[in-house]
Amino acid sequence: MTRKQTALYVARLGLTLFLITALVAAALAAVNHITAPRIAAEKERKTQEAIEKVLPGGGKLVEPGRYDNQDGLVANVYESDTGYAVEVTPSGFDGAITMMVGVSRDGKVLGISIISHTETAGLGAVAASDTPDGESFRNQFKGLSGELTVKKDGGTVDQLSGATITSRGVTRGVTAALKCVAGMG
Amino acid sequence: MNFKKQFTEGLLTKNPVTVQLLGMCSTLAITTSLFNGLGMGISVTLILICSNVLISALRKVIPSQIRIAAYIVIIAGFVTIVDLLLQAFLPELSESLGVFIPLIVVNCIILGRAEAFASKNGVLASAVDGLCQGIGYTVALVVMSVLRELLGSGTFGGGLLGGGLGYVVIPDPYPAMKIVMPVGGFLTLGVVIAFSQWLVARIEKKNKKKEAAKV
Amino acid sequence: MTYVQSLLGILISALLTENFILVKFYGICPFMGVSKKIDTALGMGMAVTFVMAIASAACWAVYHLILVKLSLEYMKTVAFILVIAAIVQVVEMFLKKAVPALYKALGIYLPLITTNCAVLGAALVNVQMGYDFFQSVFFGFCGGLGFTLAIVLFASVRERVEKAECPACFKGFPITLISAGLLALAFMGFSGLKLF
């Protein structure tokens, strides 16, 4: 093959690969165009549902400047007449747990709801599940205030069996939410 | 084209999981409930059929030097499409499968079939191959999921039946939780493959006997 | 939590508590495929560690400097796998020219790494966890070390298992998987190990 032929051949290889990539990119852009609004809406719906669960009636988003995010765990704060819903993202056993914590105006937990997590099925995942164990784990936080820790660390919160790290993460998230609300005065 | 042969190959004698030992990562990681296993199986089957068809259709256009790169781009494209669709329409599944959906890109089953079958055969045969291999993969995943869920969580059909919690088969303190954990993945797959080896050996023995009888 | 603490946390989790192979199930194919002998396992582990650190850096740059700027985040899977495939090629060519000794040691394992899901997995986890540039590279590197640890340990187990007797239907792969399960069980002992 002469040099010119080789160059042409390489150019053909490059062009083919480029065309395929362009085709794939175009297809993806089209699919994304359809799915993006739905994914955003789905996320928004889940967040609203979680707020509604811990702060009946829902709330309005609070500007980030109004609260102090000491541990870096607070993602968003929503406010209503009765209290606040604080979205926190503590780390669990396996990645971050995104959860909503309802806090009353006098600084007590109204309830918690876990939005998303990647904990181990059957162990850490129980914290977010609708099983009796999961419900009682989440409900025990109601009415608590101050610095919370699990029993294993000398605190008051019952950890889930086999999932101390998850329980610790959730407890740390609740504490961060309480601190955040307390700081807002 | 021999549909029946392709089907038995995909399901048993050349099952992608138990015989070809492809795509182990997802097989081990996500088979913790029926919902996960079925969801992953169907997603992979869809991607496998689509990529097989497209690669087979383009097999004469793609120069062989860049074929692997081209295959990977095509596969990644389909995987992302399925990923986006799941996020939009089946968010629960997308959440519980997590990073293993994008990781289907490097699932050797798909690249393996592209290289071994789709690049050499016609569009229809490739589609059938994708379907059969996909079914074989799904069946293996479902078997693993059902076993692990039953032994590990004591339920059947988690995430799908009985209002999302599944039907309780073994009551609370008895399930061996370790089975849904990584350890259980390795052990269960080991036993499932052992069983399929036993089954394949038995079938071969029978066939030999038949042939011997004929002679 | 200070920055150094976060790095130490990454080290412990990538190496032990969330070991890429035995806990997260990334990279099972090479784990099973190239773990018959300790020295080949070590070679593979080193190659993976090397590529994973570079790939984490490159994917971080591609994601944060290109995809996010153009709001094309949904293209990350396609972009990452192309980046990884390109890196593997470049690393292979570079080593061949520059460090022939290392190339000789790692050469045959390099092409296999493109389809090693640990590499793509690390890049995707970096995005998911929101690691910054240095954390990403460090995570890739430690993940690779964890991979090496698991594969070398497993290879030494396997060298002995090969010689042991077992029921016919368990011969070959099944018994290998069962041994891997027992190794994973041992690694479960690390779960809960957290410095901070």
Side-chain angles (χ1 to χ4, degrees):
Chain A
M1 233 192 284
T2 66
R3 181 173 276 182
K4 200 181 163 197
Q5 275 172 320
T6 319
L8 269 176
Y9 186 64
V10 171
R12 207 190 121 211
L13 290 188
L15 196 68
T16 317
L17 199 56
F18 175 76
L19 275 180
I20 291 173
T21 316
L23 216 71
V24 168
L28 281 187
V31 173
N32 183 60
H33 187 69
I34 304 167
T35 54
R38 276 200 71 115
I39 295 170
E42 180 60 32
K43 210 176 154 199
E44 179 60 22
R45 188 187 64 76
K46 274 193 115 172
T47 311
Q48 288 304 331
E49 216 179 77
I51 297 175
E52 184 65 34
K53 249 188 220 160
V54 298
L55 189 69
K60 268 202 301 227
L61 193 64
V62 176
E63 280 166 40
R66 274 188 54 205
Y67 54 86
D68 202 35
N69 189 0
Q70 276 175 355
D71 310 313
L73 296 181
V74 178
N76 281 308
V77 180
Y78 303 85
E79 181 182 29
S80 80
D81 295 339
T82 43
Y84 302 89
V86 186
E87 190 182 332
V88 282
T89 53
S91 52
F93 178 67
D94 178 10
I97 302 171
T98 306
M99 53 187 252
M100 195 65 81
V101 184
V103 183
S104 66
R105 291 223 166 244
D106 57 350
K108 288 199 172 101
V109 178
L110 291 170
I112 66 171
S113 163
I114 292 173
I115 303 171
S116 68
H117 70 92
T118 46
E119 302 301 290
T120 320
L123 294 173
V126 173
S129 72
D130 293 327
T131 55
D133 284 350
E135 304 237 337
S136 70
F137 174 73
R138 290 193 299 274
N139 284 336
Q140 66 173 327
F141 288 98
K142 278 186 189 164
L144 299 182
S145 60
E147 186 95 18
L148 302 176
T149 44
V150 292
K151 279 195 176 148
K152 207 171 188 173
D153 301 336
T156 46
V157 176
D158 278 311
Q159 62 261 13
L160 287 163
S161 64
T164 310
I165 311 270
T166 310
S167 313
R168 244 182 227 156
V170 171
T171 310
R172 218 175 41 239
V174 174
T175 308
L178 287 169
K179 237 193 235 166
C180 166
V181 169
M184 281 168 71
Chain B
M1 195 174 62
N2 192 339
F3 183 78
K4 206 184 149 204
K5 187 176 153 242
Q6 274 183 318
F7 188 74
T8 17
E9 275 187 5
L11 197 64
L12 196 66
T13 50
K14 280 196 185 157
N15 184 293
V17 177
T18 59
V19 181
Q20 301 181 55
L21 310 168
L22 298 174
M24 311 288 279
C25 306
S26 45
T27 313
L28 290 167
I30 55 88
T31 52
T32 49
S33 73
L34 183 61
F35 183 55
N36 279 0
L38 208 57
M40 189 69 173
I42 293 172
S43 309
V44 168
T45 307
L46 277 178
I47 295 167
L48 194 52
I49 296 174
C50 293
S51 74
N52 259 6
V53 166
L54 191 62
I55 286 168
S56 161
L58 294 177
R59 71 186 187 278
K60 290 191 180 117
V61 187
I62 301 174
S64 70
Q65 285 90 338
I66 55 159
R67 68 180 192 286
I68 300 291
Y71 296 166
I72 288 181
V73 172
I74 290 170
I75 293 167
F78 282 120
V79 169
T80 311
I81 289 173
V82 167
D83 187 15
L84 290 174
L85 290 176
L86 283 182
Q87 278 181 41
F89 298 100
L90 275 172
E92 291 84 13
L93 185 64
S94 146
E95 212 161 83
S96 73
L97 297 180
V99 77
F100 284 96
I101 292 280
L103 283 185
I104 296 176
V105 178
V106 280
N107 189 322
C108 337
I109 294 180
I110 300 179
L111 194 60
R113 290 326 285 179
E115 175 75 2
F117 198 92
S119 61
K120 298 183 189 109
N121 289 283
V123 173
L124 191 64
S126 299
V128 172
D129 178 70
L131 181 69
C132 295
Q133 293 285 327
I135 290 174
Y137 181 69
T138 310
V139 168
L141 282 198
V142 167
V143 168
M144 288 270 298
S145 305
V146 168
L147 277 176
R148 285 180 74 186
E149 195 192 336
L150 186 70
L151 296 173
S153 323
T155 55
F156 175 76
L160 208 61
L161 309 169
L165 291 174
Y167 299 116
V168 176
V169 182
I170 305 173
D172 193 26
Y174 301 108
M177 244 171 338
K178 297 288 174 283
I179 302 289
V180 287
M181 307 200 59
V183 189
F186 286 112
L187 297 183
T188 317
L189 188 59
V191 173
V192 168
I193 293 180
F195 180 72
S196 95
Q197 284 191 355
W198 175 79
L199 207 63
V200 171
R202 244 180 85 119
I203 291 174
E204 272 171 12
K205 225 187 214 170
K206 239 188 208 165
N207 285 349
K208 261 186 202 158
K209 255 188 201 163
K210 252 191 215 162
E211 271 167 32
K214 264 186 210 162
V215 176
Chain C
M1 202 155 68
T2 66
Y3 198 71
V4 178
Q5 278 177 327
S6 84
L7 289 184
L8 275 174
I10 290 176
L11 175 71
I12 295 290
S13 71
L15 208 56
L16 301 174
T17 53
E18 287 179 25
N19 187 284
F20 264 42
I21 292 179
L22 296 169
V23 182
K24 304 283 263 189
F25 294 123
Y26 300 154
I28 298 288
C29 295
F31 177 63
M32 292 295 169
V34 244
S35 61
K36 279 198 177 128
K37 275 193 183 147
I38 296 181
D39 41 345
T40 47
L42 194 63
M44 184 67 180
M46 275 159 53
V48 168
T49 311
F50 190 61
V51 171
M52 223 148 98
I54 299 177
S56 293
C59 289
W60 188 93
V62 165
Y63 186 77
H64 289 274
L65 303 180
I66 301 177
L67 295 182
V68 172
K69 294 261 157 71
L70 300 173
S71 50
L72 286 173
E73 286 95 337
Y74 61 91
M75 294 280 276
K76 64 173 186 290
T77 316
V78 181
F80 286 2
I81 192 73
L82 275 177
V83 168
I84 291 169
I87 286 176
V88 170
Q89 280 288 317
V90 172
V91 166
E92 198 180 345
M93 289 191 286
F94 173 77
L95 284 185
K96 208 174 184 177
K97 279 258 158 73
V99 204
L102 194 61
Y103 176 77
K104 240 184 179 172
L106 303 184
I108 42 169
Y109 307 112
L110 282 168
L112 290 174
I113 295 177
T114 311
T115 50
N116 180 341
C117 57
V119 181
L120 183 61
L124 291 170
V125 169
N126 282 332
V127 169
Q128 201 181 31
M129 301 291 277
Y131 286 149
D132 67 20
F133 179 75
F134 191 67
Q135 283 174 324
S136 298
V137 178
F138 193 66
F139 180 74
F141 178 72
C142 294
L145 285 187
F147 179 91
T148 312
L149 177 70
I151 198 169
V152 170
L153 278 178
F154 188 54
S156 50
V157 171
R158 215 171 149 180
E159 280 184 353
R160 287 166 179 74
V161 169
E162 295 282 307
K163 297 198 177 74
E165 272 186 48
C166 73
C169 63
F170 271 93
K171 278 230 170 80
F173 226 70
I175 194 69
T176 313
L177 277 168
I178 305 272
S179 349
L182 295 178
L183 193 58
L185 191 64
F187 265 70
M188 260 179 64
F190 292 119
S191 80
L193 182 69
K194 223 166 207 179
L195 289 180
F196 310 104

